[in-house]
Amino acid sequence: MVKKEAVGNKIVTMGKSTLLVAATLTVGLAQAQAATLDTVKERGELKCGVNSGLAGFSNPNDKGVWQGLDVDLCRGVAAAIFNDPSKVQYIPLNAKERLTALQSGEIDVLSRNTTWTSSRDTELGVNFTGVNYYDGQGFLVKKALGVASAKDLDGAAICIQSGTTTELNVADYFRKNNINYTAVVFDTSDQTVQGLEAGRCDVLTSDLSQLYALRTKMSDPEGAVALPEVISKEPLGPSVRQGDDQWFNIVKWTHFAMLNAEEMGVTKENVDSMKGSTNPDMRRFLGEDADFGKGMGLPADWAYRIIKQVGNYGEIFEANVGQSSPLKIDRGLNALWTDGGLQYAPPVR
Ligand SMILES: N[C@@H](CCC(=O)N[C@@H](CS)C(=O)NCC(=O)O)C(=O)O
């Protein structure tokens, strides 16, 4: 089912557009072979594919400025390259079009609540660079339904969005547990929320992080509750086109720099004073005594730029989705490994 999305689907089902997709793919591959970093520098900005509006992850604020955890990844890459996190053009994409946009060269990086799966990683010409949010799929029901467990959902109508991992997970879960359901499939997440509110379905299923975000859009958020079951692994992360290892490294190490900074206690506020540190790890990280940027075509202070302009992982987590945000999501699996979580970065050395 997952394979039905993106390019695979178009090649199988559409006559004329097959050629079009093949042509854009060729262009995309040619671009991937040219150094993306050079293209981005010449253009003067990075093209970042994001969710068109997912609170906490990527969402334009009332001034039209993009904000969120996924947005901050792109801001970090721009800070490393340009010393200016605003040098990013955001391209809003829905679930179905996101991977095609990366394949065709329309964007340089996809940073849009996308689950790292084997088929996406090996069949679609893209590479995932890491996991910036460990998630899992859950269910949101109206409290009035009086359901306490997903196992009680026999016969339920379920609102789902097409082009996502969600569709297959829910089919597997209900089959495994011998429960019947009716899928009510929509193209956008807003439609799934409206579907739940209008009674088109009894339950909405999606990544848990999205349930938190979508609940804030409901007219009565308190009237909806997430069920305790988490039915899948959804490691969400950025991806790039295959064929350009330098670019792959830049995006991968932007995330790792944010994690290492949190682990070392380097923040947006204290990073300047840390430059005077005598700790060899700190001096290496900030590019004081060593140059770990050159292998990526970046300046020696690439990591300093990211932290100074955007922040460490803990800072961007708290501001966008954590306790300082309306979502108030706990760190959970996204705590650093030193705090019992899964977030772990190789060292800068
Ligand atoms: N992580 C899952 C789901 C990602 C996803 O696209 N979720 C939907 C459901 S809430 C979404 O973000 N929709 C917003 C949109 O398409 O505009 C995946 O990679 O397939």
Side-chain angles (χ1 to χ4, degrees), residues 34-46 81-82:
T36 308
L37 177 61
D38 295 342
T39 312
V40 166
K41 277 184 173 165
E42 266 165 45
R43 194 194 297 129
E45 62 183 6
L46 163 78
I81 300 170
F82 299 110

Side-chain angles (χ1 to χ4, degrees), residues 51 95 98 112-115 120 161 164-165 189 207 210:
N51 194 306
R98 60 185 152 174
R112 183 206 175 281
N113 59 300
T114 298
T115 307
R120 287 175 177 170
Q161 189 178 337
T164 60
T165 49
S189 55
D207 294 347
Q210 289 164 54

Side-chain angles (χ1 to χ4, degrees), residues 5 50-54 93-96 98-99 112-117 120 128 135 137 160-167 169 187-190 192-193 204-207 210-211 214 234-236:
E5 68 186 66
V50 290
N51 194 306
S52 52
L54 180 60
L93 298 165
N94 71 25
K96 275 198 273 188
R98 60 185 152 174
L99 289 156
R112 183 206 175 281
N113 59 300
T114 298
T115 307
W116 185 351
T117 67
R120 287 175 177 170
F128 283 80
D135 208 343
Q137 186 174 332
I160 313 180
Q161 189 178 337
S162 58
T164 60
T165 49
T166 318
E167 288 181 279
N169 292 332
D187 278 339
T188 71
S189 55
D190 283 349
T192 60
V193 180
L204 189 163
T205 185
S206 158
D207 294 347
Q210 289 164 54
L211 294 182
L214 293 178
E234 305 293 327
L236 310 180

